[in-house]
Amino acid sequence: MKDAFGLPQSLLVLGGTSEIALATARRLIARRTRTVWLAGRPSPALEEAAGQLRGLGADVHTVTFDALDPASHEAVLGKVFAEGDVDMVLLAFGLLGDQARDEREPEAAVRVAQTNYTGAVSAGLVCARSLQSQGHGSLVVMSSVAGERARRANFIYGSSKAGLDAFAQGLGDALHGTGVHVMVVRPGFVRTRMTAGLPEAPLATTPEAVAAAVELGLRRRSETVWVPGTLRVVMAALRHLPRGVFRRLPV
Ligand SMILES: NC(=O)c1ccc[n+]([C@@H]2O[C@H](COP(=O)([O-])OP(=O)(O)OC[C@H]3O[C@@H](n4cnc5c(N)ncnc54)[C@H](OP(=O)(O)O)[C@@H]3O)[C@@H](O)[C@H]2O)c1
């Protein structure tokens, strides 16, 4: 069960090697999280991540999860919930892709869309149903500012995040009043392996800052969290710029 401050005792991470997710898990373990499920594609990195969290005192399990295999989600995630209540699900898997290659190779673009959107719709609905059966818990969804307005430079990733964001908002409304809380997190540029080698965007931030914002959002039971918070205002302005002006911006 969550404590009086809304922080989870048990956590299921979808995308178990995500740097943002692991920073969040470390922060929550330092508060009161005791059980962590890292769901992801089997790899040495997944086992290493589990080992590091165990070193912080948590009881950590790994489970095979592939966003691109929605037919397996019900069985894989159902087994986790069958082991006991999950207070928080962190949906953190995602693929940035390579915009230039993905425009040339539609199959690669589809992989981005299927991972970020279709995979999340499937896993999100499976988890939402289990959380609803429990009658409590938070589903925290890693969206992105990239979904706020499609940019020339990454509209394939951006459009997949726009779909994910809209899905998560709707799911939050559907679950309102059930005891289940859905929180949409919209980070800007975060320094992780996903963005390694890319030119840094203004207001760039860190996985630890996202983790701190997630903790605050859980305590406040927020529905939407921007990281950094100033991006809310920046994106509100950018969202309303005329197309012709937005197109010429170096974003
Ligand atoms: N970094 C940023 O600037 C930024 C900004 C806004 C939002 N976000 C979002 O935040 C989330 C975490 O990103 P991050 O920066 O922590 O990136 P990351 O370290 O690259 O993590 C991405 C995660 O997605 C997993 N993944 C990819 N395809 C998968 C699949 N088919 N099935 C299961 N897992 C899959 C990866 O697992 P493997 O180890 O198997 O590859 C990895 O765990 C993502 O949704 C990302 O879009 C990131």
Side-chain angles (χ1 to χ4, degrees):
M1 286 295 273
K2 287 189 191 174
D3 66 10
F5 303 105
L7 298 182
Q9 202 164 23
S10 53
L11 167 68
L12 165 60
V13 176
L14 306 181
T17 62
S18 149
E19 287 187 42
I20 291 175
L22 291 172
T24 306
R26 287 194 297 273
R27 189 169 181 106
L28 293 175
I29 289 168
R31 301 293 179 266
R32 79 174 305 234
T33 300
R34 289 294 158 261
T35 306
V36 180
W37 292 86
L38 294 182
R41 296 179 292 194
S43 69
L46 188 65
E47 295 310 319
E48 198 183 312
Q52 283 178 7
L53 297 185
R54 276 182 203 114
L56 300 176
D59 181 19
V60 186
H61 314 270
T62 58
V63 55
T64 298
F65 167 81
D66 187 346
L68 290 170
D69 184 15
S72 69
H73 291 176
E74 191 116 40
V76 166
L77 300 173
K79 274 188 201 144
V80 174
F81 280 90
E83 293 288 326
D85 279 7
V86 174
D87 299 329
M88 170 175 161
V89 177
L90 177 55
L91 198 157
F93 58 82
L95 202 57
L96 182 59
D98 174 328
Q99 175 74 28
R101 183 208 54 206
D102 297 348
E103 283 181 36
R104 286 193 310 273
E105 298 173 20
E107 270 189 39
V110 165
R111 201 152 52 87
V112 173
Q114 286 186 334
T115 304
N116 297 348
Y117 180 66
T118 316
V121 167
S122 167
L125 288 173
V126 169
C127 289
R129 198 173 52 217
S130 295
L131 290 170
Q132 205 178 340
S133 304
Q134 288 177 180
H136 70 95
S138 292
L139 174 61
V140 178
V141 178
M142 281 296 150
S143 178
S144 170
V145 292
E148 266 297 283
R149 186 158 189 188
R151 292 189 292 125
R152 168 67 190 94
N154 77 344
F155 66 83
I156 294 172
Y157 172 79
S159 63
S160 71
K161 287 295 190 183
L164 168 66
D165 198 290
F167 166 76
Q169 287 181 57
L171 187 60
D173 289 340
L175 293 174
H176 188 75
T178 65
V180 180
H181 159 232
V182 179
M183 185 164 91
V184 177
V185 182
R186 296 186 187 137
F189 186 106
V190 187
R191 295 181 200 104
T192 67
R193 68 186 159 129
M194 181 176 274
T195 52
L198 297 178
E200 202 160 280
L203 301 173
T205 188
T206 61
E208 288 71 26
V210 180
V214 168
E215 181 189 343
L216 189 62
L218 288 170
R219 288 181 186 277
R220 291 180 174 164
R221 228 175 150 77
S222 304
E223 292 182 323
T224 315
V225 170
W226 297 81
V227 200
T230 42
L231 275 175
R232 186 175 67 84
V233 184
V234 172
M235 291 311 296
L238 284 180
R239 194 174 175 74
H240 291 100
L241 281 183
R243 284 278 289 281
V245 177
F246 187 71
R247 224 178 347 251
R248 286 197 294 276
L249 288 183
V251 293

